[in-house]
Amino acid sequence: MTTILVTGGAGFIGANFVRFLLANRPDCRVINADVLTYSGNLENLTSIESDPRYRFVKADICDAAAMEPLVEEADAVVHMAAESHVDRSILDSEPFIRTNVLGTQVMLDVVRKAPGKPRRFLYVSTDEVYGSLPLEDKSLLFTEETPITANSPYAASKASGDLLVGAYHHTFGMDTVTTRCSNNFGPYQFPEKVIPLFVANLIEGKKVPLYGDGLNVRDWLHVDDHCEAILTVLEKGTAGEVYNVGGNNERSNIELTHSILGLMGFGEEMIEPVKDRLGHDRRYAIDATKIARELGWHPTRSAWPGALAETVRWYQDNTEWWQRVRTGAYRDYYEQQYGRAASA
Ligand code: NAD
Ligand code: TYD
């Protein structure tokens, strides 16, 4: 049995990754260490919570003493716990620096100092560390050589973690690998991110708030493709390397909005143009040829518009899931499942 410690496994990508790992690697045990911030939701994991190969531990990545025994038990660490929403980082960057910078440094030191065999450390980074591309020249893409030019406090905090990972490989010879992925979509995404937010609003008869001129472009990848890429890099990636992950699926926000409206049977009148996000990055687009060429990974679940339609349908079929998030009721689940003593 191989034991993988996943940090942030109760979030959107984390929960999809934990399920993906258990389903695809029968010889794997998973420890999910998550402190359950507002975006951590154990209801994302009910389908596997009684699997004997799975264990949840409520713990903060900034707490070295809590992380040490978990790392010692593990053969490898997939580090994805983070503050993840750009708009929140604009309102208050402090939790982003704490979790994404300090938390990553704590995880690196705990893994580096853990007794016994060296452990692989995979850092789930983001394409947002590359800054922004112009709309005008579609031939420009982010490669692994594109300089780090983070623009939002979120991106700057993720980039700081990313640079620390590179520094720990260079300085201490740690076995690190990094993935930099584009925007994900799929089930269990917290309904503050654009796709679940827009679908949930429309179901509730509310308009969808489109920032600025709606021409900003994102490169959309299904979360299952991202999970497969993370596992591929964990198992086959070269120590010290960075791998871009993307779906070659660029869509402007207005195009995305029209697709969602069309799929749900609404018209233009449901779009509410709102003030633009401060410092709003214009375009993200990933060149993912390195991971394809060197590790044989290709997206298989992201084809548009089918994959978007499937995701929209998931939120239509699982209204209870996001309604419980919106009302805050999902937070009761921890108490019910683990009891008051466990959360103390
Ligand atoms: P999310 O906000 O849905 O989940 C984050 C999880 O981390 C939550 O379960 C939260 O409780 C946990 N967490 C936060 N602070 C913690 C702490 N101090 N200790 C322990 N756990 C903590 O985010 P997501 O969208 O699933 O993103 C996961 C990772 O993937 C992040 O590192 C993010 O930067 C990266 N990423 C996301 C995307 C995307 O499109 N969502 C794209 C590329 C990379
Ligand atoms: P988001 O899902 O927050 O992801 P990110 O900022 O990490 O790319 O936003 C995706 C795009 O959608 C981004 O260009 C901002 C835009 N957007 C809106 O137009 N309205 C909204 O209410 C939100 C949350 C995002």
Side-chain angles (χ1 to χ4, degrees), residues 9 60 68 97 99 107 113 118 129 145 191 193 197 199 233 249 285 295-296 319 321 327:
D60 188 340
E68 279 160 6
I97 305 307
T99 292
M107 289 305 301
K113 293 176 185 165
V129 301
E145 275 69 52
K193 305 282 166 58
L197 175 76
V199 176
V233 172
N249 185 30
L295 307 183
T319 48
W321 177 84
T327 61

Side-chain angles (χ1 to χ4, degrees), residues 291-343:
I291 188 173
R293 190 182 60 240
E294 294 184 10
L295 307 183
W297 174 89
H298 300 276
T300 58
R301 293 287 310 278
S302 302
W304 214 258
L308 176 68
E310 188 193 306
T311 294
V312 168
R313 208 158 38 243
W314 189 87
Y315 290 99
Q316 289 175 311
D317 291 345
N318 291 276
T319 48
E320 205 195 345
W321 177 84
W322 56 260
Q323 278 165 352
R324 286 173 61 75
V325 172
R326 283 192 158 183
T327 61
Y330 73 111
R331 291 183 168 279
D332 303 339
Y333 182 80
Y334 184 83
E335 298 294 329
Q336 281 166 22
Q337 180 69 10
Y338 296 93
R340 271 193 191 288
S343 64

